[in-house]
Structures are given as structure tokens and as C-alpha cells.
Amino acid sequence: MSDLATEIHQAVPAAELIDGKAFAAQLRGEVAEGAAGFSRDTGRQPGLAVVLVGNDPASQVYVRTKMRQAAEVGIASFPHLLDANTGEAELLALIDSLNHDDSVDGILVQLPLPAGISEAAVIEAIAPAKDVDGFHPYNVGRLSAGQPVMVPCTPLGCLLLLQDRLGDLSGLKAVVVGRSNIVGKPMAQLLLNANCTVTTVHSRSRNMAEECRQADILVVAVGRPGLVGVEHIKPGATVLDVGINRVEDEQGQSRLVGDVDFAAASRVAGALTPVPGGIGPMTVACLLRNTLTAARQRTR
Ligand code: GUN
């Protein structure tokens, strides 16, 4: 490196780490207080039904984490762990019974579902008032109309972290990488509702790096390790890495990485979420928050 390059390199501070784990713990504390108040007022805990079909190992971990953290904040969880060859009709019948069960405030059906079960049919069967994932078309429509709504957990977690760090997001340029129904689309909608100028890029986009480099806020949710590097990041940008990818390192050890090349990005970004310990914990905390919200709204 030349003397000048060394000087510039040293002058650029490493990106600030956005501690989603700590923020999520604080959020869970607030939910615990709210859940205790709800229990005092109503004589019952808020209730979350957790439905998992099949044996996908990652889904099993997520579902266990959701139920353990629910218990820790005083939310009752009702697990329904179904065999991999459960049929769609059986799953729809279960959802119908949960819709009519007064002790259930929220229904979470872990995705993806096994082939042969229509995710759209299952999501549409959930009563919108109990749709703590915010995936039902009724809630998707309300979000796009800017009305109060059950907001999908991962994008909500991202928004809370952004507002905590940046305050009012009005006028900022936001680029969302990925267009899934779970993260990319609702994230773009939330950022638009928060008055950002929003672009979504995806696998068919031209000039992805160029688009990303315009972003004050870059949210990456694709599921491809190392997809985003220095060439995608405007110096000083706030970068949220939603990807959770299991990879093997050179020693054959398995570890989790995001979609962003962390070492490279931390030299350019102003702030960056780590994987693990960034967005993941926020998703679960927001699910608990949505469950408390649903419980309060149902008993009003
Ligand atoms: N699978 C991956 N993320 C999610 C989520 O936020 N909710 C549900 N239900 N399934 C998922």
C-alpha cells in the first residue's frame, strides 16, 4: 500500500456494529412487561400456536427458539409438530380449529411447507386478526395502503433497528436486495411508508452494484453468502444483512454467514449488522411483540 493509501485506510473507521441481539433483548423485556399486564387484566397469558410440518432441521431450530423465548416473556405457546406427510386438508382443518380457539391469539405456520401443500391456501386460511406473521393478503393489502397492520416480523425488526440508529428515515435512499414475500417486498413497503426513496433489486436487475451504491440504507435478503461486497456499498451507508447461510470453512467447520461479505463491508459501511446476532434475534422478538399486539386487539 502507498503511504497515502495507508493513511486513508487508517483514517476510515471500521463500521459500527448494530447489536440486534441486545436490541432484541430490550424489546423482549418490553413484551414481558406488556404480557404480565395482559395476564393480570384478563386472567390468561397471550397465546401463540406454532405449527411445523416435517423435519427440516433449520425450521426445527427456529420453532424451538420461538417457543422458548415465548415462554421467557410470559406468552403461552401451543406447539403442533406435524408429520412430513401431513396433507393440506388436515393442516387447513387444524388452522380452522386454531382460528376458533379463544386461548390462541397468534398462529405461526413455519415456512417453507413441504411440497404438495399450497402455502398461499394455508396463509389465507389463517384469521387475519391472528396472522402474527403479517402474510395474509388482508394484512399485505393494509400494509401497502399504509394502514395499521400486523407487520411481517423480519422487516419490522429491520425497521426498528434503522429508526433506532438513524431516527427519521424521510428522504433517505433505500435499496432492498431480494423480493421475497417474507422479507424483500414488505421491507420495501415499510421503507416507502417511512418516506424513503426505495428501489428493489433482484436476480434479473441490471447494474445491481450501481443501484446498491446509491443507498443510504441497504437491506440484503437473498440467501447467497458473499453476494454483497465493497463495490455495492456507499461509504457510510447503513447495511442490514438478513441472510442466514450455513457454510463450511477451510477446516471443514460449519458456521453461519450472511449475504454480505462482512470483513469487506465493515471497511466501507457506516454501520452493519453481524450474522449471527443481527437481524435473527429481532425476528423472534417482533413475533412476540406481534402476538401481544394481537392478544390486546382481540380482547379490546
Ligand atoms: N420461514 C422463514 N422466515 C419465516 C418467518 O418469518 N415466518 C414463518 N412463518 N416462516 C418463516
Side-chain angles (χ1 to χ4, degrees), residues 62 66 108-112 133 135 153-154 182 283:
Y62 294 141
K66 287 168 182 177
L108 173 120
V109 180
Q110 186 67 28
L111 303 178
D133 264 323
F135 294 162
C153 306
T154 301
I182 295 181
T283 296

Side-chain angles (χ1 to χ4, degrees), residues 63-108:
V63 159
R64 269 203 298 273
T65 305
K66 287 168 182 177
M67 291 197 294
R68 176 172 45 77
Q69 294 196 0
E72 283 167 10
V73 301
I75 291 176
S77 54
F78 307 110
H80 295 270
L81 309 178
L82 308 180
D83 204 78
N85 47 36
T86 300
E88 186 174 307
E90 193 183 331
L91 183 54
L92 293 176
L94 169 64
I95 290 170
D96 187 54
S97 77
L98 297 172
N99 284 342
H100 292 96
D101 182 341
D102 264 346
S103 57
V104 171
D105 299 293
I107 300 171
L108 173 120

